[in-house]
Amino acid sequence: MSFQINNDIRGLIDSVNDGSTSAFMWEWFTTKPFVDAGEVKFIGSVPTPWPSWLVAAHPSPERAPVDDLRVFLERLTIYVRTFNSPESRESANIKFIEEHFGYPTADIESWLKTVGYPESCLHISQKVITDTLSVLEKAGVVKVPEGGFPIEFFVDTAVAKLA
């Protein structure tokens, strides 16, 4: 198996249609308009074992300063909680997504029923990491080292807490 970088959804769509890529994985509801328009074909689904707004950063403190990351994640948490509130899910989110992305109301409502968000962007559960590694292992992307993966290797505890 080899991977090719196609940059964005348009690059992915173009590459499967010109034959330079066999398939791609992308979030269903952002892909659905292209499936509905006949630009790509839906062949299956692999639910991700991680919530939305799980942030990865470069491990170098020069490129991703710890204090800056922490402040960013604290502020992001405020917006994620607001977006995830029952009131926002029932009205404001639907209106925002309709106006900015043009998705049909029924698709937005379906998406909002399936997507999950962390309570805090500064915390990550060990289960999310182990479930993600399990999916990646089954897909042949990673190989589990003898003795398993050290979970703390995947979280910079100077930035986020492992729960």
Side-chain angles (χ1 to χ4, degrees), residues 13 24 28 30-43:
I13 291 167
F24 68 85
W28 167 243
T30 53
T31 308
K32 188 176 180 301
F34 302 103
V35 173
D36 291 347
E39 290 190 63
V40 291
K41 179 180 164 188
F42 177 73
I43 59 172

Side-chain angles (χ1 to χ4, degrees), residues 1 3 133-143:
M1 181 180 333
F3 296 93
L133 290 169
S134 175
V135 168
L136 293 174
E137 179 189 14
K138 288 175 188 167
V141 177
V142 298
K143 184 176 179 179

Side-chain angles (χ1 to χ4, degrees), residues 116-133:
Y117 299 95
E119 180 62 29
S120 169
C121 296
L122 285 160
H123 295 92
I124 183 164
S125 75
Q126 291 186 33
K127 182 175 180 355
V128 166
I129 294 171
T130 57
D131 288 354
T132 300
L133 290 169

Side-chain angles (χ1 to χ4, degrees), residues 27-29 32 89 94 104-116:
E27 196 275 332
W28 167 243
F29 286 100
K32 188 176 180 301
R89 281 180 173 260
I94 294 169
T105 301
D107 288 354
I108 298 166
E109 290 171 343
S110 294
W111 174 72
L112 288 170
K113 289 176 186 171
T114 65
V115 69

